[in-house]
Amino acid sequence: MAGGRDLQLDTLRAFAVTLVLYAHFLAPGGTSFLGHLGVRLFFTLSGFLITRLLLEARDGAQFAAGPALYSFYARRAIRIFPPYFAVLAFVWFTDLEQAGSSLAWHALYLSNFWYAHRNEWTPWLLCHFWSLSIEEQFYLAWPLIVLLAPRRRIEAITIGVIAFSLAYRFYWPIAANPALARDLLPPASMDALACGALLAVRRARGADVPGWVRRGWPAFAAVFLLVVGSDPGPADSAWEWPRWLLVQVLPLVPLVAIVAACSSGLDGRIGRLAELPPLLALGRISYGVYLYHPILLAYVVKAQPWIPLNVSEQGPGRFLVAGAATLLAASLSWVLFEKPVNGLKRHFPYVARPRARTPSEARGFGATYPRAQAAVDLRPTDRSYP
């Protein structure tokens, strides 16, 4: 599984995190629908990769649900926790933005509930943690379904999750109120995660995206751009709620189509572009880029008196300086911290490795087909980390 497909998915990560950096460093007003679109792409990728990984584990000859769940949670913790809690410790130690009152919520991966409850992005320094909390909440529940539910029911369950998430957007007490809760509560993001998961489930049974998705995604993208470009009007206008719903739902089809194409491997000029080394490198460190970028922005703004470019406001100067600082920090973090820690994953295989046979067993029954008892090695697949 370590071929062009996973390489091109790294490029999708690079594209997603670039959209986030654009929204926070360059876009007028400090926000943009492109940043949210980048997060939705991350969610779709995560749903696809995690589900693919778990289904491959389930197909292993030595598969057992208990050890596979244990390994999944251990490997996720190894990948996600060290830099995440390092950032929290740094924020607590330096008392940046007086964020101490919310640290317990962030430490428990409840950032989305913290901001939804307060209905304001305070502290801004950690506001991007809402999406990481959504992912962790997904990681807690979804492996139980994929590894324990009857195999024939997983696709129906996935479609049910998508339908529930879409129905949530019609729940008027929340959907009619343009508050943070309608974007940050888990049902608002389960559709993107489950759409990626559905792609993995269909691939596992030998199918692919439906034809209408392959043929129709440009139309969905065009309508999405028209809706985004429209005037939202006042917060209580008749157009505000349907506009919000369409902006959330319309990108799902293009995002799934793009993930499907890159996971199969794009050919030709586009395929070569999707495997350019700088893009692959950015994709590999995308977690660190996403995690560290607001911290680096805070220090870049503090250093404005010593920086000849304007970094105090959104614009090219901030994008260049804060972006370069973020890339440097994320690269060092990957080489010196994250990559070495990731080596611990080898102690937590999804499928038990075969026990070495004694000489007497080797001479006995089955000695002629040792390969039949080899465990499935899923390490190459896990190169693409959500």
Side-chain angles (χ1 to χ4, degrees), residues 42-326:
F42 272 127
F43 285 158
T44 308
L45 277 168
S46 291
F48 171 70
L49 289 165
I50 288 300
T51 306
R52 184 182 75 175
L53 192 67
L54 294 170
L55 289 174
E56 288 178 348
R58 188 164 178 165
D59 288 338
Q62 307 292 329
F63 168 75
L69 281 170
Y70 173 76
S71 292
F72 173 83
Y73 292 127
R75 293 167 73 93
R76 287 295 88 201
I78 289 170
R79 175 68 192 106
I80 295 171
F81 286 1
Y84 182 89
F85 285 103
V87 168
L88 284 184
F90 180 80
V91 169
W92 173 80
F93 182 76
T94 58
D95 198 27
L96 280 173
E97 235 185 291
Q98 291 79 50
S101 60
S102 66
L103 287 185
W105 291 75
H106 300 301
L108 294 172
Y109 282 94
L110 295 173
S111 306
N112 54 329
F113 287 97
W114 165 265
Y115 292 111
H117 174 66
R118 294 177 61 87
N119 196 33
E120 62 179 5
W121 293 114
T122 304
W124 182 89
L125 196 72
L126 299 175
C127 68
H128 60 307
F129 276 23
W130 76 268
S131 60
L132 301 178
S133 295
I134 290 285
E135 294 237 18
E136 197 64 24
Q137 291 154 20
F138 173 72
Y139 293 155
L140 285 176
W142 192 244
L144 298 174
I145 294 173
V146 177
L147 295 181
L148 299 179
R151 184 67 178 261
R152 66 184 183 279
R153 302 295 185 192
I154 295 176
E155 185 167 349
I157 293 172
T158 307
I159 295 173
V161 172
I162 297 172
F164 171 74
S165 183
L166 297 177
Y168 162 84
R169 305 188 192 284
F170 292 88
Y171 181 60
W172 202 247
I174 292 179
N177 182 14
L180 292 181
R182 70 179 185 180
D183 283 323
L184 301 189
L185 295 181
S189 299
M190 289 300 111
D191 51 1
L193 287 157
C195 280
L198 181 60
L199 173 61
V201 173
R202 289 178 61 87
R203 288 275 178 84
R205 65 174 177 84
D208 206 339
V209 294
W212 67 268
V213 172
R214 290 196 304 273
R215 294 187 296 270
W217 74 264
F220 280 84
V223 175
F224 168 73
L225 293 175
L226 289 175
V227 172
V228 167
S230 67
D231 183 4
D236 57 351
S237 70
W239 173 234
E240 196 281 333
W241 170 73
R243 181 181 185 275
W244 167 78
L245 187 150
L246 291 171
V247 167
Q248 298 296 318
V249 174
L250 286 172
L252 291 174
V253 172
L255 291 179
V256 170
I258 291 170
V259 171
C262 290
S263 63
S264 296
L266 294 169
D267 297 323
R269 183 177 299 176
I270 297 179
R272 292 192 296 272
L273 178 65
E275 295 179 17
L276 288 176
L279 294 176
L280 300 181
L282 179 56
R284 281 193 296 272
I285 64 171
S286 58
Y287 177 50
V289 171
Y290 188 80
L291 196 60
Y292 303 139
H293 79 275
I295 311 292
L296 273 298
L297 175 58
Y299 278 102
V300 164
V301 171
K302 287 179 181 292
Q304 176 64 87
W306 298 278
I307 299 176
L309 300 175
N310 181 11
V311 296
S312 299
E313 299 175 346
Q314 295 283 107
R318 173 178 286 189
F319 186 78
L320 179 63
V321 177
T326 299

